[in-house]
Amino acid sequence: MDTKRSGFNTKLIHAGDFKDQFKSASVPIYQTSTFAFESAEDGARCFGGESDGYIYSRIGNPTINALERELAILEGGYGGIAVSSGMAAACTIYLTLLSNGDHIVSTDAVYGPSRGVMEKEFVRFGIESTYINTTDYRNIEKAIRPNTRMLYIETPANPTMDISDLEVCSQIARKNNLIFVVDNTFASPYLQNPLAFGADIVFHSMTKLINGHADIVAGIIITQEKAMYTRLRSMMINLGCNMDPHQAYMVLRGLKTLSLRTDRAQFNAEHVAMFLEKHPKVAWVKYPGLKSHPQHCLAKKQMRGSGSTISFGLKGGYEAATKLLNNLKLALLAVSLGGVETLIQHPASMTHSKVSKENKLKSGITDDLIRLAVGIEDIEDIISDLNDGLMKV
Ligand SMILES: *Cc1c(COP(=O)(O)O)cnc(C)c1O
């Protein structure tokens, strides 16, 4: 069947389009490092690129390729490059497309290490970076320099839940000849397709929503065009940050229920957000589905749902935040998000503790900010856990 034209749920189940001689219903794990050639001539053809036969699992593997095909279809891109983690995806993009003397403009409230690696490591190779609030396009225009090569956006952003306008960012990138990269981890292809708004590259930490079961670390890069795909794939092969076939199998399995899990977690998140907004000890709540979210209308325009991650602050600040975290019984005190279980964390002391105080404040990562990744448990239990915890604050 032509899965490119079918609905999202059908794509989730069939887009990997894998067929073997046994007609296996699920994609088998090809747990092999290398593949034998039929003949010396066949080996020469594979290495010469005249045949698409498999050579070696760092270069390509049937299980991994099935996952790559599936994600490319879900994001509407040319091709996918599966990698060992979300950070491997970010670093492969940086290393492939930025050179000495280049400059990158990025969302300030990004995943901590995406910024950390730029400011601590890539700076050694002469790559400059500017981090700004990309929800206001004027900040982007002001930050662009003659040597700017890349516009890097995370939306919704971690952990502020700020939303940047994909269409406007894409226009700015075109006008200034920049490569436009979007970290789509917080939305997943179910809720948002940045390539459709003109992004050149979209990437995911599949550790989060796509795999969804808190049992695998994985990443993927999807490009709009073939030329960029070829360059990125070549870098991935040379860096050796490839995915493992077993890891690919796990993600393929988790991916099948992406829409079911997301619908349920989102239903729960909407109710939790409303509960928190009304609670007397809560100072503020940021969730794209709430009318109070500053980019609520934009979220409706470019996303098909609000997701399952909420950030909020307590009136009692840092102290109250730690008190709440220490008094929850159901929510796990853990980083990560987009899984079936409810997780809670405090960015100022955990994921963003290495970001300087000044940069944290500038990016809206206040000391009181708590990030809640809502799972698929019963909503009554999630709310009762939060209610009991808040009582002790
Ligand atoms: C987790 C995450 C990453 C990094 O992914 P890993 O799989 O942990 O390497 C990158 N971006 C965002 C938005 C994330 O949440």
Side-chain angles (χ1 to χ4, degrees):
M1 77 179 283
D2 183 5
T3 38
K4 284 206 171 95
R5 302 178 63 176
S6 55
F8 191 88
N9 293 291
T10 307
K11 283 183 186 148
L12 276 182
I13 308 302
H14 296 288
D17 192 26
F18 186 91
K19 285 184 193 73
D20 64 8
Q21 63 189 114
F22 308 111
K23 300 203 173 359
S24 308
S26 83
V27 183
I29 311 174
Y30 284 83
Q31 195 73 51
T32 183
S33 61
T34 195
F35 300 84
F37 305 115
E38 294 287 350
S39 63
E41 292 76 19
D42 177 38
R45 274 193 297 275
C46 285
F47 272 96
E50 296 143 42
S51 145
D52 52 9
Y54 289 103
I55 298 173
Y56 187 63
S57 278
R58 175 159 50 74
I59 301 170
N61 171 289
T63 316
I64 301 170
N65 288 168
L67 177 63
E68 291 171 334
R69 272 197 307 277
E70 166 111 26
L71 261 298
I73 289 173
L74 294 177
E75 282 290 13
Y78 169 79
I81 302 151
V83 288
S84 56
S85 70
M87 277 314 293
C91 287
T92 301
I93 292 166
Y94 293 158
L95 270 169
T96 309
L97 302 166
L98 297 171
S99 302
N100 187 309
D102 286 347
H103 172 244
I104 168 177
V105 172
S106 168
T107 308
D108 52 7
V110 281
Y111 183 70
S114 305
R115 176 174 184 165
V117 74
M118 258 301 146
E119 293 181 331
K120 287 192 192 73
E121 308 295 345
F122 281 83
V123 69
R124 292 190 288 115
F125 306 113
I127 296 163
E128 299 173 310
S129 52
T130 303
Y131 290 86
I132 43 139
N133 182 336
T134 50
T135 62
D136 185 344
Y137 73 93
R138 286 165 300 193
N139 293 336
I140 305 175
E141 287 182 327
K142 260 188 262 161
I144 293 171
R145 306 177 190 166
N147 62 336
T148 307
R149 281 285 295 151
M150 185 182 286
L151 175 61
Y152 180 105
I153 303 285
E154 190 175 302
T155 182
N158 179 24
T160 58
M161 300 310 293
D162 279 340
I163 311 260
S164 298
D165 192 320
L166 290 169
E167 201 173 338
V168 169
C169 288
S170 167
Q171 282 162 4
I172 296 175
R174 286 287 156 273
K175 205 171 75 192
N176 294 279
N177 210 11
L178 311 180
I179 301 164
F180 181 29
V181 178
V182 180
D183 182 340
N184 200 25
T185 300
F186 267 51
S188 92
Y190 182 47
L191 300 181
Q192 177 172 278
N193 291 125
L195 298 181
F197 291 91
D200 298 298
I201 297 174
V202 54
F203 81 94
H204 292 274
S205 165
M206 299 200 291
T207 315
K208 317 295 165 54
L209 283 140
I210 291 179
N211 180 58
H213 291 73
D215 50 10
I216 277 289
V217 172
I220 196 155
I221 306 165
I222 300 116
T223 71
Q224 185 85 268
E225 285 173 358
K226 182 178 178 179
M228 213 170 264
Y229 165 85
T230 307
R231 286 184 65 195
L232 286 158
R233 176 165 281 282
S234 163
M235 178 62 87
M236 178 280 286
I237 292 167
N238 289 327
L239 283 174
C241 58
N242 57 286
M243 182 175 274
D244 173 86
H246 182 258
Q247 194 184 6
Y249 170 83
M250 295 289 277
V251 180
L252 277 165
R253 183 178 155 104
L255 178 60
K256 288 193 198 288
T257 53
L258 174 67
S259 55
L260 287 173
R261 287 185 282 106
T262 307
D263 286 347
R264 169 74 181 215
Q266 187 168 271
F267 168 87
N268 284 349
E270 281 161 7
H271 283 80
V272 169
M274 286 189 286
F275 159 79
L276 289 171
E277 205 167 43
K278 279 192 227 110
H279 200 284
K281 287 185 186 164
V282 175
W284 57 270
V285 182
K286 233 159 131 198
Y287 177 66
L290 290 176
K291 287 210 176 68
S292 58
H293 188 289
Q295 294 96 30
H296 175 69
C297 291
L298 175 60
K300 275 200 160 155
K301 190 185 124 208
Q302 67 186 27
M303 296 176 74
R304 292 181 288 270
S306 307
S308 49
T309 310
I310 301 169
S311 65
F312 66 101
L314 298 181
K315 287 177 183 157
Y318 193 110
E319 250 78 346
T322 47
K323 200 132 205 189
L324 172 66
L325 264 50
N326 285 333
N327 282 290
L328 293 176
K329 296 208 165 68
L330 180 102
L332 299 175
L333 177 50
V335 299
S336 199
L337 57 109
V340 289
E341 55 285 294
T342 298
L343 306 177
I344 195 160
Q345 71 116 343
H346 180 229
S349 65
M350 295 177 189
T351 46
H352 291 72
S353 59
K354 291 201 181 77
V355 180
S356 74
K357 212 171 172 81
E358 188 199 340
N359 283 341
K360 263 198 292 253
L361 276 186
K362 254 200 246 158
S363 326
I365 305 164
T366 47
D367 269 355
D368 64 343
L369 191 154
I370 296 169
R371 191 183 78 188
L372 180 66
V374 182
I376 65 169
E377 301 95 336
D378 287 297
I379 181 63
E380 295 79 11
D381 295 332
I382 300 172
I383 288 185
S384 133
D385 188 39
L386 287 166
N387 202 34
D388 291 351
L390 283 166
M391 222 125 67
K392 305 220 171 73
V393 170

